[in-house]
Amino acid sequence: MSPTTVVFDIGGVLIDWNPLYLYRKLLPDDETISKFLAEVCTSAWNEQFDAGMLFADGIAELTALRPEYSELIEAYWSRWHEMLGGEVEGTPQILARLKSAGVPVHAISNWSAETFPRAQSMFPFLNDFDVLVVSGRERLVKPDAAIFDLYLKRADVRAEDCIFIDDNPANIAAASRLGFQTEHFQTAAQLELRLTTLGVLAPLEEVAG
């Protein structure tokens, strides 16, 4: 059955986010950066912000534990925007084509409630979703089924009527278990092929014609 609603993840699908972009300016080499991100500002630490923790609290707690890295830890907030590498090539254009064709476009994103408005100011297309669920606002994170259930209730749609697009295999698996059609994102070209095959997205030559 062809989906009627397209549900995007954001980081890694529409926007390229990576702490490396910032810490390459602050630390001497990738080996040092990898050690710092594995032992100090870890992915698990960052996930607390996606789940609703305030940056001020998280930074204060970590700085108390690792005071020798205080400036680098503080930069995670004060220079957060420097972790954004730009748009993922091609996918914002797919979003725009879907929106122009009247296809409902929604998003479920693991993102801090504090930094998401900063991303919206940098990437205006983040204001184009008909339904937007941001984990930090809801204090629920993917791949927890609860955030998908919240989305379905808020959007008033059935899982089987949606195609969910994410670059994280765990999130894809969770959505699939709930009945979503899914697309494990790798490239915009692959996504375009899947959406046109499903009949959700008109081929560019038809749009141009």
Side-chain angles (χ1 to χ4, degrees):
M1 182 169 58
S2 294
T4 56
T5 300
V6 180
V7 189
F8 286 88
D9 173 38
I10 295 175
V13 174
L14 288 159
I15 296 174
D16 180 16
W17 175 89
N18 197 321
L20 282 172
Y21 299 138
L22 168 62
Y23 287 103
R24 280 177 175 154
K25 303 174 184 179
L26 303 176
L27 291 168
D29 53 60
D30 281 0
E31 183 178 352
T32 305
I33 296 168
S34 295
K35 190 172 188 296
F36 173 75
L37 294 176
E39 298 178 1
V40 186
C41 290
T42 65
S43 58
W45 181 70
N46 177 73
E47 286 166 9
Q48 295 179 99
F49 304 123
D50 290 347
M53 176 181 276
L54 297 176
F55 270 86
D57 294 339
I59 288 172
E61 290 178 9
L62 187 56
T63 299
L65 293 172
R66 305 298 298 268
E68 70 274 26
Y69 294 111
S70 59
E71 291 186 8
L72 292 172
I73 295 168
E74 171 58 32
Y76 207 95
W77 165 252
S78 62
R79 298 179 63 172
W80 175 87
H81 59 284
E82 294 178 57
M83 299 183 197
L84 298 175
E87 300 179 1
V88 173
E89 185 177 0
T91 45
Q93 289 73 28
I94 292 174
L95 170 64
R97 285 163 59 192
L98 291 166
K99 186 80 174 175
S100 178
V103 177
V105 287
H106 302 169
I108 308 171
S109 181
N110 282 357
W111 206 294
S112 160
E114 293 182 284
T115 56
F116 194 76
R118 295 163 73 177
Q120 285 178 302
S121 68
M122 296 171 68
F123 302 96
F125 63 80
L126 294 181
N127 297 290
D128 290 344
F129 297 110
D130 302 301
V131 175
L132 170 63
V133 175
V134 177
S135 65
R137 296 172 180 169
E138 311 299 340
R139 297 183 174 270
L140 297 169
V141 293
K142 297 176 294 184
D144 188 338
I147 193 168
F148 293 100
D149 289 337
L150 173 68
Y151 158 74
L152 292 171
K153 291 176 184 175
R154 188 167 293 171
D156 193 24
V157 293
R158 303 181 307 167
E160 55 266 34
D161 294 329
C162 304
I163 181 166
F164 174 67
I165 304 153
D166 201 301
D167 63 318
N168 186 318
N171 297 339
I172 288 292
S176 182
R177 285 193 295 270
L178 291 169
F180 286 83
Q181 300 181 61
T182 60
E183 175 67 13
H184 180 203
F185 180 82
Q186 296 184 49
T187 67
Q190 178 182 317
L191 175 60
E192 178 167 8
L193 177 61
R194 178 73 189 285
L195 293 177
T196 53
T197 300
L198 288 170
V200 183
L201 182 68
L204 272 175
E205 56 268 24
E206 290 186 14
V207 176

